[in-house]
Amino acid sequence: MMNTPPFHRGDIVELEVRSFAFEGKSVARVNDFVVFVTKAVPGDRVRARIVTAKRTFAEAVAIEVLEASEHRITPRCPHFGICGGCKWQHVSYEEQLALKRQNVVDSFERIGGFRGVEVRPALGSIDPYFYRNKMEFSFSDRAWLTEADLGREVQSPSFVLGLHPAERFDKVLDINECFLQSPVSNHILSVTRRFFQERNVSVYSNKEHEGHLRYLVIREGKKTGDRMVNLVTLDDRPKLLGEYAEALLAGVPQITTIVNSINTRRAQIAVGERERVPYGPGTITEELGGLKFRISANSFFQTNTLQTEVLYETAVRLAELNGNDVVYDLYSGTGTIGIFVAPRVSRVIGIELVASAVADARENARFNGVTNCDFLEGDLLDLLARSTGWMKTSPKPTVLIIDPPRSGMHPDAVTTAAQMGVDRLVYVGCNPATQARDVKILAELGYQIEVLQPVDMFPHTYHVENVAFLRRK
Ligand code: SAH
């Protein structure tokens, strides 16, 4: 091992970029020394600036492409490279899918210790652009200015509406057009910016805890055409809100509801304590698999509608769900998986920690006339491990569908799930590393991986959803 790093911070080096590492970074090797490179694509030869130099590895950012990888493409968005929203617009979509699949293969090999498991090609989004049904933009008086921006895009650096640059949550990049959302949503963005800028309405500053405008959240039912504009402000200004609603509807008649969430706290979140609804019902409806879901300003909903259907269909197909099945939907959130599968099985029981999510799930079941679904509120471990009353009167599960948060499952929850003794188990994971760790425990307790099916819910980011189908040996 070398005692001094071969590079220093600020060095400009030439690198042959070999493979994909993690979190969208690639790896280059100089002799045996590892350099993690951002803004590169495996197969590139680049000139790069060293940003971190350690004894065992360095980090660099590509500043010039000397020879382009065959997988490199021209990014569609002018904000790409600065905006924190997309990391992979310069990688062909085909290659993005290959890299995501490889991430699953690597995680299951290195963390799970699995060899020779079938990992299918990742299922890609039908349209890798315009796919998001929700986008959250920030108002700010602290613009992130690039050279190209100066004098061009940003008219007034003390009034911007957009997205954060990568890893800079204190700054906002003015966004005119974002290709992750629909053209109508982009129109809402520009009408909103113009309206408030023309009136010199103040922007919220966290330091002073004053200023009116905080966030703009745009939601869209991809199947229904419903559209919600949710303006998050520090205080209540009904007259201004009324004028804004009028201007919005005149400019974008496709809007079906307008909400004003009032958040008087310092917390930097687009959630209010109070709501005004100057137009429409205050909710939108979206469909999954022909079922309807009512979404309010604060409810959680999967952001890629079309791919969510693909994801859930994959789970249904792999688990061979049938009319006799009793499904336990663990970490059920607002109940979308459970309600989606309910018409095809005999019974669904969902378990979820957050009370408001459970209320949404029950409401969604009622809304669809689904009567074979129950949602229980509480910690999974408490509800499954201790033989509480509900278990005695409920049918035993034949299938488990598990969809935990990114951090994965508590080890005791994994053990408890395995002890339920079902033959078929579907683990929907949004983080292959924690999923591989949890599946390793399940494998030690008698389950075998039948197949892994990655599904791409978030094109142009390095995130991947992965469905693991396990059977009891
Ligand atoms: N299946 C849902 C969402 C899953 S997100 C969907 O597709 O929409 C993970 C969910 O697990 C979150 O709603 C979170 O509140 C819940 N959760 C986290 N820890 C939990 C625990 N210990 N017990 C029960 N639910 C938990």
Side-chain angles (χ1 to χ4, degrees):
M1 184 158 296
M2 278 171 265
N3 290 322
T4 47
F7 301 123
H8 296 97
R9 187 158 184 249
D11 284 357
I12 305 290
V13 292
E14 234 179 82
L15 300 170
E16 304 268 350
V17 184
R18 298 284 167 171
S19 55
F20 160 68
F22 52 84
E23 296 189 346
K25 292 174 187 160
S26 307
V27 194
R29 279 173 201 276
V30 178
N31 300 319
D32 262 340
F33 191 80
V34 171
V35 184
F36 295 108
V37 200
T38 49
K39 300 194 179 176
V41 181
D44 278 346
R45 196 161 61 81
V46 297
R47 205 186 304 281
R49 187 187 317 111
I50 301 287
V51 290
T52 315
K54 297 263 167 74
R55 218 156 47 81
T56 48
F57 71 93
E59 290 182 307
V61 56
I63 50 177
E64 187 187 346
V65 182
L66 301 171
E67 233 170 274
S69 158
E70 57 176 322
H71 305 300
R72 182 176 269 280
I73 57 164
T74 307
R76 182 169 189 165
C77 179
H79 303 298
F80 179 72
I82 305 158
C83 177
C86 293
K87 290 276 194 301
W88 271 358
Q89 272 194 34
H90 62 319
V91 184
S92 74
Y93 190 47
E94 221 177 22
E95 183 63 7
Q96 289 184 25
L97 293 176
L99 294 174
K100 290 184 191 208
R101 177 182 176 276
Q102 194 56 42
N103 182 0
V104 171
V105 171
D106 291 348
S107 300
F108 275 76
E109 277 186 16
R110 289 181 200 157
I111 301 164
F114 297 101
R115 293 280 177 279
V117 170
E118 183 190 348
V119 185
R120 293 195 182 154
L123 297 172
S125 265
I126 298 147
D127 190 347
Y129 289 99
F130 312 113
Y131 63 84
R132 290 187 65 101
N133 59 29
K134 178 188 173 193
M135 288 288 292
E136 185 182 306
F137 299 95
S138 305
F139 289 95
S140 175
D141 58 359
R142 309 191 62 191
W144 178 266
L145 296 177
T146 65
E147 255 168 62
D149 279 336
L150 285 171
R152 187 171 59 94
E153 286 177 52
V154 181
Q155 304 297 324
S156 143
S158 60
F159 189 103
V160 286
L161 173 57
L163 299 168
H164 295 288
E167 280 141 46
R168 288 303 301 264
F169 289 99
D170 56 328
K171 296 272 184 181
V172 174
L173 182 70
D174 210 37
I175 300 280
N176 291 310
E177 189 175 21
C178 171
F179 291 106
L180 297 189
Q181 67 174 3
S182 72
V184 174
S185 296
N186 281 318
H187 194 190
I188 293 170
L189 186 65
S190 61
V191 170
T192 301
R193 178 187 294 105
R194 199 177 331 122
F195 178 87
F196 290 112
Q197 204 170 7
E198 277 171 7
R199 282 159 189 77
N200 275 320
V201 178
S202 59
V203 166
Y204 177 74
S205 147
N206 194 239
K207 215 167 119 228
E208 272 93 42
H209 193 55
E210 62 185 30
H212 184 57
L213 301 164
R214 301 188 75 161
Y215 300 95
L216 175 74
V217 187
I218 305 173
R219 302 184 91 144
E220 177 177 82
K222 294 284 179 187
K223 295 294 184 77
T224 57
D226 282 2
R227 288 188 173 86
M228 173 191 290
V229 174
N230 175 21
L231 183 74
V232 184
T233 60
L234 175 71
D235 47 7
D236 190 8
R237 300 191 192 172
K239 185 165 165 289
L240 181 66
L241 179 66
E243 287 164 14
Y244 170 57
E246 217 170 279
L248 260 185
L249 292 168
V252 195
Q254 297 97 326
I255 292 167
T256 55
T257 190
I258 301 172
V259 179
N260 174 208
S261 300
I262 297 155
N263 174 8
T264 62
R265 292 159 299 186
R266 276 184 181 267
Q268 299 276 54
I269 47 167
V271 172
E273 309 108 55
R274 246 164 2 109
E275 263 180 24
R276 268 186 188 275
V277 182
Y279 180 73
T283 58
I284 60 165
T285 301
E286 178 60 309
E287 284 178 24
L288 290 175
L291 295 152
K292 291 186 184 338
F293 294 85
R294 195 174 284 156
I295 305 169
S296 62
N298 294 336
S299 10
F300 169 82
F301 195 79
Q302 292 277 358
T303 46
N304 184 340
T305 304
L306 298 181
Q307 247 355 49
T308 300
E309 291 186 326
V310 171
L311 180 72
Y312 294 177
E313 275 303 340
T314 300
V316 167
R317 208 176 47 248
L318 292 177
E320 297 158 7
L321 292 186
N322 65 70
N324 298 320
D325 277 325
V326 175
V327 175
Y328 281 16
D329 172 11
L330 308 183
Y331 307 91
S332 51
T334 49
T336 42
I337 296 183
I339 295 166
F340 186 90
V341 304
R344 316 175 202 214
V345 301
S346 124
R347 191 73 197 279
V348 175
I349 295 175
I351 296 182
E352 166 60 43
L353 186 63
V354 174
S356 65
V358 173
D360 279 352
R362 288 176 183 151
E363 172 60 28
N364 280 327
R366 237 192 329 269
F367 192 39
N368 285 291
V370 166
T371 53
N372 60 340
C373 245
D374 284 314
F375 292 97
L376 308 177
E377 179 192 326
D379 187 289
L380 186 79
L381 211 47
D382 293 340
L383 285 168
L384 288 185
R386 303 195 195 119
S387 258
T388 41
W390 73 273
M391 266 198 176
K392 297 192 191 91
T393 55
S394 300
K396 290 222 164 318
T398 59
V399 176
L400 298 185
I401 299 181
I402 309 180
D403 181 16
R406 280 185 65 74
S407 53
M409 301 172 75
H410 188 284
D412 294 346
V414 183
T415 312
T416 310
Q419 282 164 354
M420 311 223 51
V422 300
D423 282 333
R424 289 162 289 157
L425 191 155
V426 180
Y427 187 136
V428 181
C430 55
N431 178 351
T434 55
Q435 187 186 31
R437 177 200 69 198
D438 296 345
V439 169
K440 184 172 192 236
I441 306 176
L442 288 168
E444 284 156 6
L445 297 173
Y447 284 89
Q448 195 161 24
I449 300 177
E450 199 146 293
V451 66
L452 302 178
Q453 174 65 72
V455 179
D456 185 24
M457 309 284 282
F458 303 105
H460 312 301
T461 75
Y462 50 77
H463 292 288
V464 61
E465 203 88 8
N466 183 45
V467 182
F469 178 55
L470 284 78
R471 228 184 256 280
R472 205 177 158 79
K473 275 189 272 199

